[in-house]
Amino acid sequence: MKKELDILLCDLDAFYASVEQLDHPELKGKPVIVGGDPAGRGVASTCSYEARKFGVRSAMPMKKALELCPQAIVVRGNMARYGEVAGQVREIFGRYTPDLEIVSIDEAYLAVKQGLGLTVAENIHRKVREELGLPISVGVSSNKLLAKVACELAKPDAVKALWMKDVPELFWPLPVRAIPGIGPKAAEKLKSLGLKTVKDLAHCPPATLRRIFGNNSANIHRFACGLDDRELEPVHDLKSISEETTFPEDIHDRQDYLPAVIRELAAGVGYRLRSSGLKARTITLKLRYSDFKTITRSKTLPDLFNSDKVIYELALDLFNKNSGRAPWRLVGVKASGFEEEEQLSLLIATDEERKEKQLLVVKDSLQQKYGSAVVVSGKQLKDFNKQK
Ligand SMILES: [Mg+2]
């Protein structure tokens, strides 16, 4: 029988921007965008809540972000520093449970004994604030779906529980996009049928759902009812690690923007490989075109690897050879063909082994450091761009 557990989704708020505000107190309370290059051509990878008020979003071309928020302070990313802080956050998670799934550098599911979820969530929220000075949002429930929804409702910097009994009041009023697997296109179609909220889906006749979602319709209906039996995927069961980005608008720029996004995704994949004690042999690039056609292309090397640089170069090479015709709406990078780097991974080790391993991860990321933060104001960037 399945163990009864409480599930937490912990998600650091505007992670890269929050770390920059922590390290550079003069940035506190200001609109901060992390990413891009100083010429303003790259991608906005994270923006502080102050910048979000202007409509700036992750994965937006930097140029657009600066049009929306010209006073933004643009900071070059420092992945080594973010990796180091993520390791410290992970150490706090590890005090409460060994049972966790790393979703990305700033996001993880934790499973704890039933009944303990809310207390653990509040402790994590407090410790991350007290010990690291960072905002984190934590959603608590009995499954991954509702924990994720609870976390979205909690943001920013708070804890929220959402149990089955709360589904009609808190989950059902949300738009259909709150359900995993429902993207903008499906949402459009649902809207044209008068189905706008999660509640509409939960009450929709099965035949209608089947027409829209085919084989996936039963899953969608279960999600709409708040039911989800997906288990956590702990590191030792991992078959692949992937990161992908759906662009806020279709992208045409193959020179600067796409490579910048691929570099970002490669860094995320590399970080997760190293912190899981894994090395990969294969990189897969996923591309979706504006007509929703999706392709995947892979390359396998004879030697195992886990460095950001190798992942980036493989993925970029795959992109250059298979990019097809612009525009693109999604790009993803996946690593697979794993071998464990060492016998004990970070997540299943004893405290001492875990600490030692974490030092290695930090050291590793420091070696890969690509420069410290360079701070320039958005205005300076704009002027710079005008001169060009
Ligand atoms: Mg986050």
Side-chain angles (χ1 to χ4, degrees):
M1 209 184 79
K2 218 183 127 191
K3 244 194 315 182
E4 297 299 329
L5 297 164
D6 284 350
I7 307 294
L8 279 59
L9 180 62
C10 304
D11 185 359
L12 289 145
D13 299 317
F15 179 47
Y16 300 169
S18 298
V19 173
E20 295 301 337
Q21 287 176 324
L22 181 72
D23 291 350
H24 307 275
E26 69 276 15
L27 300 180
K28 281 218 174 92
K30 306 231 169 85
V32 174
I33 302 176
V34 177
D37 59 25
R41 288 180 304 185
V43 46
S45 90
T46 315
C47 40
S48 69
Y49 276 83
E50 294 84 0
R52 289 180 197 202
K53 284 189 199 132
F54 294 86
V56 180
R57 294 286 176 269
S58 326
M60 199 175 251
M62 191 59 94
K63 194 160 158 271
K64 170 107 189 265
L66 290 174
E67 276 163 23
L68 291 169
C69 185
Q71 66 272 54
I73 299 160
V74 178
V75 183
R76 293 299 300 277
N78 182 346
M79 285 309 293
R81 173 69 180 138
Y82 309 148
E84 177 187 20
V85 177
Q88 292 163 349
V89 176
R90 185 92 54 88
E91 191 274 319
I92 292 178
F93 294 164
R95 293 177 205 170
Y96 300 95
T97 177
D99 198 359
L100 66 163
E101 171 183 336
I102 306 301
V103 182
S104 66
I105 190 167
D106 65 342
E107 209 177 317
Y109 284 105
L110 277 61
V112 299
K113 213 170 128 211
Q114 195 174 35
L116 294 183
L118 195 53
T119 312
V120 170
E122 279 162 354
N123 279 324
I124 286 174
H125 181 258
R126 199 179 59 245
K127 298 270 177 206
V128 170
R129 166 60 72 191
E130 281 173 4
E131 295 180 23
L132 305 176
L134 288 173
I136 187 168
S137 296
V138 188
V140 189
S141 190
S142 47
N143 64 44
K144 284 168 86 171
L145 167 76
L146 293 181
K148 169 94 182 158
V149 174
C151 186
E152 290 299 320
L153 295 172
K155 276 179 200 172
D157 198 16
V159 170
K160 182 150 187 81
L162 196 174
W163 305 105
M164 275 310 289
K165 67 176 170 55
D166 308 316
V167 161
E169 190 194 339
L170 297 175
F171 186 35
W172 279 357
L174 299 179
V176 292
R177 293 279 313 266
I179 293 178
I182 300 193
K185 199 181 175 190
E188 262 319 294
K189 197 160 173 193
L190 290 167
K191 197 173 151 201
S192 70
L193 296 166
L195 303 167
K196 288 181 201 146
T197 63
V198 176
K199 184 182 182 181
D200 294 337
L201 283 185
H203 291 83
C204 181
T208 310
L209 286 182
R210 242 189 332 267
R211 269 206 308 281
I212 307 166
F213 296 105
N215 289 337
N216 203 21
S217 65
N219 272 334
I220 298 279
H221 187 254
R222 283 174 55 78
F223 282 161
C225 297
L227 300 168
D228 178 14
D229 48 21
R230 289 173 301 161
E231 297 198 10
L232 265 54
E233 291 178 28
V235 161
H236 47 268
D237 291 346
L238 279 181
K239 302 269 184 295
S240 66
I241 286 178
S242 61
E243 302 257 330
E244 61 181 46
T245 295
T246 304
F247 306 119
E249 51 197 64
D250 289 354
I251 295 303
H252 292 80
D253 175 359
R254 74 171 70 229
Q255 292 305 324
D256 299 304
Y257 182 74
L258 245 302
V261 175
I262 291 172
R263 185 185 288 278
E264 180 91 10
L265 297 172
V269 169
Y271 169 77
R272 286 167 62 197
L273 280 175
R274 294 189 298 277
S275 57
S276 308
L278 295 169
K279 288 189 170 189
R281 235 182 257 286
T282 301
I283 288 297
T284 303
L285 177 85
K286 176 173 167 186
L287 277 179
R288 180 164 300 147
Y289 299 93
S290 58
D291 62 359
F292 283 88
K293 192 182 153 217
T294 306
I295 62 157
T296 57
R297 296 290 182 270
S298 300
K299 187 160 184 177
T300 299
L301 291 190
D303 295 323
L304 291 158
F305 56 84
N306 65 4
S307 85
D308 297 355
K309 187 167 176 285
V310 175
I311 299 167
Y312 170 64
E313 284 168 359
L314 285 171
L316 186 65
D317 186 50
L318 287 166
F319 173 73
N320 287 333
K321 287 182 178 140
N322 303 286
S323 60
R325 220 152 50 120
W328 303 276
R329 60 177 311 130
L330 174 151
V331 62
V333 175
K334 177 171 89 175
S336 59
F338 294 155
E339 260 170 45
E340 280 217 35
E341 197 185 5
E342 282 162 40
Q343 282 215 313
L344 280 169
S345 83
L346 182 62
L347 303 174
I348 53 174
T350 64
D351 273 0
E352 208 165 297
E353 286 159 338
R354 195 181 289 131
K355 266 184 202 139
E356 194 178 314
K357 192 67 196 279
Q358 250 154 11
L359 277 177
L360 275 178
V361 172
V362 172
K363 200 170 126 241
D364 166 46
S365 59
L366 283 173
Q367 279 166 354
Q368 308 215 4
K369 184 165 181 167
Y370 58 81
S372 54
V374 179
V375 183
V376 250
S377 82
K379 173 130 190 335
Q380 282 171 327
L381 283 184
K382 259 190 125 181
D383 294 342
F384 178 83
N385 280 337
K386 261 187 233 145
Q387 288 162 13
K388 290 207 315 178

